[in-house]
Amino acid sequence: MSKQFDVVVIGGGPGGYISAIRAAQLGFQVACIDEWKNAAGGPAPGGTCTNVGCIPSKALLQSSEHFEHANHHFAEHGITAKDVKMDVAKMIARKDSVVKQNNDGILYLLKKNKVTFFHGRGSFAGKAEGGYTIHVAGKTEEDITAKQVIIATGSNARALPGTPFDEVNVLSNDGALRVGAVPKKLALIGSGVIGLEMGSVWRRLGADVTILEGLPTFLGAVDEQIAKEAKKAFDKQGLKIELGVKVGEIVNGKKGVTVNYTNAKGEAVVLDADKLIVSIGRVPNTIGLNAEAVGLQLDERGAIVVDADCKTNLPGVWAVGDVVRGPMLAHKAEEEGVAVAERIAGQHGHVNFNTIPWVIYTSPEIAWVGRTEQQLKADGVAYKAGTFPFLANGRARALGDTTGMVKFLADATTDEILGVHMVGPQVSELIAEAVVAMEFRASAEDIARICHAHPSLSEATKEAALAVDKRTLNF
Ligand code: FAD
Ligand code: NAI
């Protein structure tokens, strides 16, 4: 007789493990199946985010930023740092240990919440009485059943046609996070989030980095003014970003990779590099789910089709995170996971797609929530804009990092905040205030009238809100 659960979650990334914990908190018998293996073949829950995404990339960004500061910024504080060296193996080992702490933390949390964890691949074996049979293939094989199934199987890196990842020369996000030595010349295709974050890591460590982007605009989804400011900073750092290119033949040879492309002027260019990172987006992952066995509907991109509540076409089957529509972000996956668990319990879980923040962890950081100026124009919304530069912020001057600005967009009539856009130091943290404000449908004046600690970077947020009404105090 197969083990029976109320809820089975397939996938243990941020969408999966969080929905499993929330369902268990709500009193359900829950199983979570995840197939990710660590180097020793053991379980490594946390998905892309923990193993080859959010967490390891931020660990490397931190290490490389320390290196850059020691080399280029300590001197202005009067600190002499001679012969600064980077031990890449040690940096990667530290990153691996940060990942392991997170894997172990998730296993602990699942146990604490009495979620039964299965290490292996989960696939639909068919319909069972009142629910579904899920086959688990790990060290052993078994069938389990549940009335409710939450699919959170995530996404995989998209390869360029004809150029498979070998993770030696042609790297996905996985290989990009475990390069053993600083490449002399690094090429990246795609100047999106991964291209900029990973390009920054290896540039700071000394690589000559070129990013090739197909679109003619830089960071098209970001507010234009903010993207322009960020591009200026990246140019100054020596991160070469070529826009409007058409990538042609790629030769993966013994000594490295040759990328043939046509630049924006229509000229043929040959770029030789030691390594190539391909960061051109990700594809939803339903490999091995045996979706056909139960007639689960997928769209033309291979994403599971869901409604606004994450319900699939099958009764009792839900899907969340990267495997469904919407932004591929860990916090979006988590919010959907919580909402689905609550809906299964008859509650009214809700995800507000208008207030999902985005952060790009480069230096300067880029963060935003809500609509951009170009979107408001396209939507025909009358708005007022207010900006405040970090150059005029005392804390930023003390930190020695005055790049960038905070920008508010508010409704011209009601003053409701419609979007907040930031580029500058630690804006990954500053954006939280804007998310809270928008969630409570605050006006720009609400933020302008709130007392912010001095000296703090958050004063730039207050001043940008004041700027909406043209009454900044410090600029
Ligand atoms: P995933 O995290 O992909 O987890 C899916 C899990 O399901 C995996 O463990 C997989 O092994 C398992 N699985 C799949 N199929 C099966 C099966 N049949 N049976 C059992 N298990 C299965 N987002 C942010 O918000 N902030 C960031 O800073 C950030 N940085 C990123 C950096 C990089 C380099 C990358 C690649 C991504 C980054 N992301 C970031 C995106 C983030 O990682 C994803 O949005 C997030 O992981 C999606 O969560 P998920 O639960 O939907 O899927
Ligand atoms: P992306 O969608 O952010 O960027 C891909 C870029 O590649 C785009 O600019 C696109 O125009 C370009 N491109 C696509 N095909 C191309 C081609 N053939 N030639 C040249 N350029 C091409 O995707 P990316 O960087 O791979 O990241 C995937 C996702 O992972 C992100 O969209 C995001 O959801 C998530 N992520 C989030 C992070 C964060 O929150 N800080 C960090 C890293 C990833």
Side-chain angles (χ1 to χ4, degrees):
M1 175 92 174
S2 55
K3 284 184 196 140
Q4 289 184 352
F5 294 90
D6 299 319
V7 180
V8 166
V9 182
I10 307 179
Y17 89 81
I18 287 291
S19 62
I21 288 175
R22 185 69 188 121
Q25 285 175 346
L26 290 163
F28 294 113
Q29 293 290 321
V30 184
C32 179
I33 313 166
D34 188 81
E35 64 178 346
W36 207 293
K37 288 184 184 137
N38 60 25
T48 300
C49 173
T50 302
N51 293 294
V52 291
C54 327
I55 301 298
S57 59
K58 268 79 250 178
L60 296 189
L61 279 157
Q62 191 61 52
S63 300
S64 59
E65 195 170 3
H66 284 320
F67 184 70
E68 174 136 299
H69 278 239
N71 273 318
H72 301 293
H73 303 296
F74 276 11
E76 72 209 42
H77 295 268
I79 304 167
T80 309
K82 273 194 189 143
D83 296 331
V84 178
K85 289 196 182 71
M86 171 52 85
D87 181 340
V88 174
K90 201 161 177 183
M91 175 186 78
I92 300 284
R94 174 187 176 271
K95 179 262 301 177
D96 290 341
S97 94
V98 172
V99 167
K100 186 170 183 312
Q101 286 165 36
N102 282 273
N103 295 143
D104 292 349
I106 294 166
L107 283 172
Y108 163 78
L109 289 171
L110 292 172
K111 201 167 167 193
K112 180 182 150 199
N113 286 282
K114 301 192 173 51
V115 173
T116 306
F117 180 73
F118 290 90
H119 187 212
R121 172 166 286 189
S123 58
F124 282 101
K127 291 188 178 160
E129 206 184 317
Y132 300 86
T133 301
I134 307 294
H135 183 68
V136 185
K139 271 192 183 148
T140 57
E141 307 228 353
E142 63 184 300
D143 284 345
I144 60 177
T145 60
K147 285 201 183 73
Q148 305 281 339
V149 178
I150 304 174
I151 304 168
T153 46
S155 63
N156 292 318
R158 186 153 79 85
L160 276 167
T163 308
F165 297 116
D166 64 3
E167 305 298 3
V168 179
N169 288 339
V170 180
L171 312 173
S172 70
N173 57 294
D174 183 1
L177 290 159
R178 51 187 169 81
V179 177
V182 180
K184 259 202 177 115
K185 287 185 93 177
L186 173 69
L188 295 99
I189 300 181
S191 72
V193 199
I194 296 179
L196 292 173
E197 290 188 356
M198 296 318 299
S200 293
V201 166
W202 296 106
R203 182 206 57 77
R204 289 170 186 170
L205 299 180
D208 174 4
V209 178
T210 305
I211 309 181
L212 303 176
E213 167 59 45
L215 292 177
T217 33
F218 178 61
L219 286 179
V222 175
D223 186 272
E224 260 171 39
Q225 194 179 0
I226 298 293
K228 227 174 163 179
E229 192 73 14
K231 178 77 168 42
K232 246 185 356 201
F234 298 142
D235 288 346
K236 213 167 135 194
Q237 292 163 6
L239 195 63
K240 286 176 261 173
I241 302 167
E242 275 213 51
L243 301 174
V245 311
K246 196 169 179 335
V247 174
E249 195 195 6
I250 295 176
V251 183
N252 183 356
K254 275 197 186 126
K255 286 195 176 155
V257 188
T258 303
V259 183
N260 294 279
Y261 67 95
T262 311
N263 68 16
K265 292 183 203 146
E267 299 157 342
V269 185
V270 180
L271 177 68
D272 288 315
D274 302 299
K275 305 271 178 199
L276 169 70
I277 298 173
V278 178
S279 47
I280 56 167
R282 298 179 61 80
V283 282
N285 170 32
T286 52
I287 302 162
L289 202 52
N290 201 17
E292 319 77 66
V294 284
L296 181 68
Q297 195 188 344
L298 308 182
D299 70 13
E300 60 292 345
R301 289 184 318 124
I304 297 175
V305 177
V306 289
D307 66 8
D309 287 346
C310 292
K311 274 187 191 145
T312 70
N313 65 315
L314 302 173
V317 180
W318 313 73
V320 302
D322 280 13
V323 78
V324 304
R325 46 73 196 122
M328 288 184 168
L329 294 172
H331 41 284
K332 175 263 193 183
E334 291 182 10
E335 294 302 319
E336 285 184 335
V338 167
V340 163
E342 292 178 350
R343 284 174 198 135
I344 291 172
Q347 298 182 0
H348 300 281
H350 178 66
V351 182
N352 184 355
F353 276 85
N354 297 322
T355 55
I356 294 175
W358 273 87
V359 176
I360 306 179
Y361 295 82
T362 43
S363 176
E365 293 184 337
I366 304 165
W368 72 96
V369 58
R371 281 185 281 177
T372 61
E373 204 165 340
Q374 59 268 30
Q375 279 172 331
L376 291 175
K377 278 184 187 149
D379 294 349
V381 178
Y383 65 91
K384 294 176 290 181
T387 57
F388 188 82
F390 282 108
L391 200 65
N393 175 275
R395 184 75 196 281
R397 285 195 209 114
L399 286 172
D401 190 354
T402 52
T403 315
M405 67 176 88
V406 176
K407 172 172 179 175
F408 266 67
L409 297 168
D411 187 284
T413 315
T414 65
D415 197 38
E416 180 176 349
I417 302 166
L418 302 174
V420 179
H421 306 272
M422 304 176 170
V423 54
Q426 297 171 33
V427 297
S428 54
E429 300 297 333
L430 295 189
I431 199 67
E433 181 181 5
V435 177
V436 173
M438 283 187 65
E439 194 62 50
F440 283 90
R441 301 195 60 181
S443 63
E445 184 168 2
D446 287 329
I447 299 298
R449 288 192 177 278
I450 290 171
C451 180
H452 288 66
H454 177 75
S456 72
L457 297 171
S458 72
E459 287 173 292
T461 307
K462 177 189 170 97
E463 290 275 5
L466 279 165
V468 169
D469 202 26
K470 296 194 173 39
R471 53 191 183 98
T472 51
L473 297 165
N474 284 288
F475 189 62

